[in-house]
Amino acid sequence: MNIQKIFFLNKFCVFREERQYLHSTDIFNQLKHFFKNKKIKNFEIIFKKKITNYPYLIISSNPNFKIKNTYYISLSYTKNNKKYFGYIYQSRNKIFLTKKYNEKKFQEKIKFTKKSIFIPNNTNFDFIQRITSGAMKFLKDKNTMNNRGKWYLVRLKVKHFIKLDNKNFIKINSLKSKENANFFSIYYKKKIGEMLFLKK
């Protein structure tokens, strides 16, 4: 059984603004950097717990390999018609560095309807920043009656990694909405993925 253990790079292990946990966008971009291969398909990631220390990834192609239940994130994907499974744990080394994350100018460009988010291509934000920040702005604006708790991305699915490097116009549709949960579909003309946010 082939098992890989990969530590996150320092440049992806930096807290954003006042957040005292590793942001989902940095985790996703680290994974994207790991994979590099554009043939990654059917990617799914589930965020279970916040990461505050330097993380590492365990990957295997065996769905039955033994894992510790202390993992913080689980993921799966297909590469060259073979399915892989991954789990992210955190080490004992704490993350101390922070960086700026100014979403306001980006979010001012976003347009809403009752159920849709329209994200333009004239931005320096990358794919994961555009969809998460766009969804967060939508959720905050549409849930003014209940300000208790905070929204978190808990699940993301992407059909093809090869589509994630362009700066095309993105449309996100809110399909299932409850007070503490919201399910989205993501489109580049055609549907390319899904997101689930929960308020905790």
Side-chain angles (χ1 to χ4, degrees), residues 176-188:
K176 297 178 182 178
S177 178
K178 295 182 179 179
E179 183 177 318
N180 295 313
N182 206 303
F183 179 83
F184 295 95
S185 288
I186 310 162
Y187 294 86
Y188 274 151

Side-chain angles (χ1 to χ4, degrees), residues 138-148 151 199:
F138 176 88
L139 290 169
K140 288 178 181 178
D141 287 2
K142 298 296 182 181
N143 287 271
T144 55
M145 293 180 64
N146 179 12
N147 292 320
R148 291 177 297 176
W151 288 101
K199 183 181 278 190

Side-chain angles (χ1 to χ4, degrees), residues 2 6 8-9 18 29 34 45 51 53 69 72 80 96 137 161 166 173 176 180 185:
N2 184 22
I6 309 169
F8 275 44
L9 300 179
E18 73 284 354
N29 282 331
F34 281 155
I45 184 168
I51 291 179
N53 296 357
N69 289 327
Y72 286 67
N80 299 326
F96 294 103
K137 174 66 173 173
F161 259 45
N166 61 46
N173 284 344
K176 297 178 182 178
N180 295 313
S185 288

Side-chain angles (χ1 to χ4, degrees), residues 48-140:
K48 181 181 176 184
K49 295 183 287 185
K50 294 179 183 178
I51 291 179
T52 57
N53 296 357
Y54 282 88
Y56 60 92
L57 169 66
I58 302 291
I59 299 176
S60 176
S61 57
N62 185 342
N64 298 315
F65 81 102
K66 292 183 179 180
I67 62 167
K68 296 178 181 179
N69 289 327
T70 53
Y71 68 87
Y72 286 67
I73 295 169
S74 64
L75 58 104
S76 62
Y77 60 93
T78 302
K79 178 181 175 182
N80 299 326
N81 296 319
K82 191 172 185 178
K83 190 161 186 178
Y84 292 84
F85 304 86
Y87 298 88
I88 296 176
Y89 300 85
Q90 68 173 13
S91 67
R92 295 181 179 179
N93 299 320
K94 291 189 176 296
I95 299 171
F96 294 103
L97 296 177
T98 61
K99 62 182 176 182
K100 293 183 178 180
Y101 185 44
N102 187 357
E103 297 177 280
K104 290 184 179 179
K105 287 186 178 180
F106 165 73
Q107 290 182 340
E108 288 172 357
K109 301 177 182 179
I110 298 170
K111 304 297 181 184
F112 298 136
T113 63
K114 187 176 180 180
K115 291 290 185 179
S116 297
I117 310 162
F118 301 96
I119 302 176
N121 55 9
N122 57 337
T123 173
N124 292 325
F125 275 31
D126 57 31
F127 169 78
I128 186 65
Q129 291 174 319
R130 292 165 75 198
I131 64 170
T132 54
S133 185
M136 286 293 289
K137 174 66 173 173
F138 176 88
L139 290 169
K140 288 178 181 178

